[in-house]
């Protein structure tokens, strides 16, 4: 019967994973802001240690961290607003330029079909192909998707507000009781070695925080250089676009791809000729330099994750919770790998008991 125990255990694990994922998907309105708040709290842990070393009460430190996070988030939302408005204003020109390009391609295709028909001495060009090519020109124009109305925004407001409240509450109480929570986890994690478990939790927090803060500085540099280059090209809203590049670069692979497409869209709406492609190609070069040289150098080899694992974590996070899942996927995966012992712990030079304040 022993040979049946291992398959049964794996089957139970698989069922548990499926049930957990289904629950996380069903409880997205609660689980997503909770996980985001926990990840944010881990990232802010150096700030918490700073307040503690200077004798500031935990409640005041937690409040400062919460207020600072909400203020920064509100500022980023305000920066996004003019970028979205700019893209909407440029949409008619972009659509007209794209339609002209489509007409040119259609004319080339029709010319090729007619030339082939003459060479082959056909009675006429292939009617089905000609009709398929010409059909989009005669098709009724699409005015585009309707923009959300004020009533739609009012209906979404309670759901958005509830998530903000959940995020704020979990972040505040996590920052306030982080040490007590780690002590409880260290005592209840399997293995029976509370001191080792406590060290592992601290190391996971340290690695996630250092990784996220380092990547934040790298993305800030990328956003600054992107904004400077776009300003030199004469792109309207270059500063706002630099902030967007900074934010989207947190979503590995997908974020830069989205911003590249947005720059193509903005380039068509702003410039003519070769300049249409120059902003997007410039960002592509900057992003390649950041991804292949800057990040591996500053983050360090011991903190780098397998690219396949990063991609799968990103795909899973986006599939589960959308863009929010893409943001928390990599820090959460890094935390789990440290807890699971996949990433090595550093040698502790400054042990600090969890119970100290």
């Amino acid at each position: 019967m022993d040979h049946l125990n291992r398959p049964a255990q794996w089957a139970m694990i698989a069922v548990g994973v499926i049930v957990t994922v289904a629950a996380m998907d069903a409880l997205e309105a609660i689980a997503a802001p909770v996980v985001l708040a926990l990840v944010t709290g881990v990232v802010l842990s150096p700030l918490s240690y700073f307040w503690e070393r200077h004798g500031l009460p935990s409640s005041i430190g937690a409040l400062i961290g919460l207020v600072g996070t909400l203020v920064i988030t509100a500022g980023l939302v305000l920066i996004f607003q003019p970028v979205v408005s700019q893209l909407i204003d440029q949409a008619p020109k972009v659509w007209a330029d794209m339609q002209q390009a489509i007409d040119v391609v259609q004319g080339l295709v029709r010319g090729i079909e007619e030339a082939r028909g003459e060479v082959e001495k056909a009675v006429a060009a292939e009617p089905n192909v000609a009709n398929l090519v010409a059909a989009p020109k005669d098709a009724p124009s699409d005015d585009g998707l309707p923009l959300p109305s004020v009533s739609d925004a009012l209906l979404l407001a309670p759901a958005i507000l509830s998530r903000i409240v959940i995020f704020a509450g979990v972040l505040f109480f996590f920052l306030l009781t982080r040490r007590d929570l780690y002590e409880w986890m260290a005592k209840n994690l399997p293995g029976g070695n509370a001191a080792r478990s406590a060290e592992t939790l601290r190391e996971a927090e340290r690695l996630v925080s250092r990784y996220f803060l380092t990547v934040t500085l790298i993305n800030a540099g990328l956003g600054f250089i992107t904004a400077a280059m776009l300003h030199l090209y004469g792109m309207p809203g270059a500063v706002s676009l630099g902030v967007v590049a900074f934010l989207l670069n947190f979503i590995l692979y997908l974020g830069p791809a989205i911003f590249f497409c947005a720059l193509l869209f903005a380039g068509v709406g702003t410039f003519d000729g070769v300049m249409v492609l120059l902003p997007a190609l410039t960002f592509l070069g900057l992003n390649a330099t950041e991804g292949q040289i800057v990040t591996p150098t500053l983050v360090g080899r011991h903190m780098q994750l397998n690219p396949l694992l990063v991609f799968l974590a990103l795909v899973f996070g986006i599939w589960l919770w959308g863009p929010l899942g893409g943001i928390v996927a990599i820090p959460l995966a890094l935390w789990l790998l440290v807890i699971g012992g996949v990433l090595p712990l550093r040698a502790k030079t400054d042990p600090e008991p969890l119970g100290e304040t």
Side-chain angles (χ1 to χ4, degrees), residues 172-208:
F172 176 78
F173 288 110
F174 176 77
L175 293 175
L176 181 64
T177 62
R178 190 183 78 261
R179 286 179 174 271
D180 295 335
L181 180 62
Y182 284 174
E183 280 189 348
W184 179 85
M185 293 178 63
K187 294 177 181 178
N188 290 276
L189 283 175
N193 191 337
R196 178 66 176 176
S197 298
E199 179 185 359
T200 301
L201 289 171
R202 285 195 298 267
E203 178 68 5
E205 181 183 64
R206 185 192 67 83
L207 276 179
V208 172

Side-chain angles (χ1 to χ4, degrees), residues 27 58 92 94 114 119 123 127 141 162 171 192 197 212 231 337 340 345 347:
L27 299 175
S58 300
V94 173
E114 292 174 0
V119 172
V123 176
S141 61
S162 65
L171 177 59
S197 298
F212 199 86
H231 179 72
L337 289 176
L345 298 176

Side-chain angles (χ1 to χ4, degrees), residues 10-294:
W10 282 108
M12 291 296 295
I13 293 174
V15 171
V17 171
I18 294 174
V19 171
T20 301
V21 172
M24 294 171 66
D25 185 25
L27 299 175
E28 176 185 356
I30 299 176
V34 167
V35 173
L36 179 62
L38 294 177
V39 171
T40 305
V42 170
V43 171
L44 293 177
S45 59
L47 186 62
S48 300
Y49 285 120
F50 176 81
W51 299 133
E52 292 172 2
R53 284 196 301 267
H54 288 77
L56 195 69
S58 300
S59 57
I60 303 299
L63 185 61
I64 293 176
L66 172 62
V67 173
T69 301
L70 294 179
V71 169
I72 293 175
T73 303
L76 295 176
V77 171
L78 292 177
I79 292 175
F80 259 112
Q81 190 273 334
V83 176
V84 175
S85 299
Q86 176 186 344
L87 294 177
I88 293 176
D89 293 338
Q90 291 176 345
K93 181 181 183 300
V94 173
W95 176 250
D97 292 345
M98 292 176 62
Q99 191 64 44
Q100 291 178 2
I102 292 174
D103 291 341
V104 171
V105 174
Q106 290 176 351
L108 291 175
V109 174
R110 283 196 295 269
I112 293 173
E113 290 296 332
E114 292 174 0
R116 190 183 69 176
E118 292 178 0
V119 172
E120 296 177 354
K121 296 181 180 180
V123 176
E126 297 179 4
N128 292 336
V129 175
N131 291 336
L132 287 175
V133 174
K137 187 176 181 180
D138 300 330
S141 61
D142 186 7
D143 294 334
L145 295 175
L147 295 176
S149 62
V150 176
S151 60
D152 295 334
L154 291 176
L155 291 175
L156 288 175
I160 297 176
L161 182 60
S162 65
R163 297 189 182 199
I164 294 175
V165 171
I166 293 173
F167 170 82
V170 173
L171 177 59
F172 176 78
F173 288 110
F174 176 77
L175 293 175
L176 181 64
T177 62
R178 190 183 78 261
R179 286 179 174 271
D180 295 335
L181 180 62
Y182 284 174
E183 280 189 348
W184 179 85
M185 293 178 63
K187 294 177 181 178
N188 290 276
L189 283 175
N193 191 337
R196 178 66 176 176
S197 298
E199 179 185 359
T200 301
L201 289 171
R202 285 195 298 267
E203 178 68 5
E205 181 183 64
R206 185 192 67 83
L207 276 179
V208 172
S209 177
R210 190 175 77 174
Y211 172 85
F212 199 86
L213 292 177
T214 304
V215 169
T216 298
L217 293 177
I218 294 173
N219 292 348
L222 175 66
F224 176 79
I225 298 175
T226 300
M229 295 303 297
L230 294 179
H231 179 72
L232 291 176
Y233 295 154
M235 174 76 74
V239 175
S240 298
L241 289 172
V243 175
V244 175
F246 159 71
L247 294 175
L248 288 181
N249 210 50
F250 283 101
I251 307 177
L252 299 181
Y253 308 126
L254 184 60
I258 293 174
F259 189 70
F260 177 81
C261 296
L263 283 183
L264 283 178
F265 187 92
V268 172
T270 305
F271 304 113
D272 295 310
V274 180
M275 283 296 297
V276 168
L277 300 176
L278 191 57
L281 293 179
T282 299
F283 173 75
L284 187 63
L286 292 174
N287 183 258
T289 303
E290 173 267 319
Q292 300 301 320
I293 300 177
V294 179

Side-chain angles (χ1 to χ4, degrees), residues 196 199-200 203-204 206-207 210 301-305 334 337-347:
R196 178 66 176 176
E199 179 185 359
T200 301
E203 178 68 5
R206 185 192 67 83
L207 276 179
R210 190 175 77 174
R301 297 294 175 183
H302 66 286
M303 290 182 63
Q304 289 190 30
L305 304 178
L334 183 62
L337 289 176
V338 176
I339 295 298
V342 178
L343 292 180
L345 298 176
R346 67 170 180 172

